Amino acid sequence: MVVCYYQVQCINYLKNPTTMKLIDRIKNIILSPNAEWGIIDQESETPVSLLKNYLLPFGIAGAIATFIGNGIIGTTVMGVKVGGTLAYGLNQALISLLSLVIGFYVAIFVVDMLAPTFKSEKNINKTAQLVAYSNTPALLGALLTILPAISWIGALFGLYGFYLLYIGLPILKKTPEQQRIPYIIVAIIVMLVLYFVIAAILASILMPIFGISRASQYGF
């Protein structure tokens, strides 16, 4: 009875119009980005609505996967056990979720601020769309952290997001062709640096709270 109940709930969730719209957006931005960026350009989204309706569902699912992968399953690196404790899993899950939220807002501010330098349109809402939807492959890849041994596949898939960014720049930011490559290079560097800096800061704050040392996370 319990299994049947959850099966029904799962089916109802997948049939929900909001869920179906989310699934369609994921499928279309991955498989037909040129057409989908054109549709996105006609939409009126804000950083808040994108965070609430698109990024957070991904982020929460990714955080749960990270918790299971790091806190319950764990992995072995060169014969050394990494993770496998609930404290470590919860620490990594919180870093994952908070990095997504903080990194999103900081990235859209910086990328939008750089727009005039590359003769592009300065529009915080369009920049938010560009950053949020180009991160779709990375957000999907993060779900593979549930199995740490294959999480690298998710990281590789995340690289596809750079191509989505390249396709989306002239559509959403009206970036001239000759400025597209310089703008995307700077934008990628900014987003990568921001992610690692934010994650490092969060780790330095959260690890002591959970009683995790650099050595203890490796089982020492």
Side-chain angles (χ1 to χ4, degrees), residues 26-214:
I26 294 167
K27 179 186 68 176
N28 293 336
I29 197 66
I30 295 294
L31 299 179
S32 52
N34 280 289
E36 195 65 12
W37 280 128
I39 295 171
I40 291 168
D41 189 40
Q42 303 304 313
E43 297 174 350
S44 300
E45 296 278 10
T46 66
V48 173
S49 67
L50 285 163
L51 178 65
K52 177 183 175 182
N53 300 323
Y54 196 75
L55 294 178
L56 274 183
F58 267 123
I60 292 170
I64 293 172
T66 298
F67 172 75
I68 295 172
N70 288 274
I72 298 175
I73 298 175
T75 189
T76 301
V77 179
M78 298 180 67
V80 178
K81 176 77 173 191
V82 179
T85 67
L86 296 184
Y88 183 71
L90 186 57
N91 174 74
Q92 294 300 103
L94 280 174
I95 290 174
S96 169
L97 185 58
L98 292 175
S99 294
L100 175 65
V101 175
I102 298 171
F104 171 63
Y105 278 104
V106 177
I108 62 175
F109 174 78
V110 175
V111 172
D112 195 62
M113 182 180 64
L114 289 169
T117 304
F118 300 98
K119 299 180 175 59
S120 302
E121 183 180 281
K122 196 172 187 296
N123 184 317
I124 197 71
N125 291 335
K126 294 300 179 185
T127 304
Q129 290 175 312
L130 185 70
V131 172
Y133 294 127
S134 66
N135 267 309
T136 301
L139 295 168
L140 287 173
L143 300 178
L144 290 182
T145 55
I146 195 169
L147 297 172
I150 63 169
S151 60
W152 61 272
I153 298 176
L156 287 179
F157 184 55
L159 297 176
Y160 183 62
F162 298 153
Y163 174 72
L164 297 182
L165 190 64
Y166 178 80
I167 296 296
L169 272 175
I171 300 173
L172 269 65
K173 302 292 289 177
K174 308 301 182 282
T175 305
E177 181 61 32
Q178 65 273 21
Q179 296 291 329
R180 189 152 48 145
I181 291 180
Y183 195 1
I184 193 174
I185 290 173
V186 173
I188 289 170
I189 292 173
V190 166
M191 286 191 284
L192 287 176
V193 170
L194 283 173
Y195 175 79
F196 285 112
V197 169
I198 291 169
I201 293 172
L202 288 172
S204 67
I205 295 172
L206 293 173
M207 287 177 69
I209 294 175
F210 288 101
I212 302 170
S213 65
R214 293 291 179 183

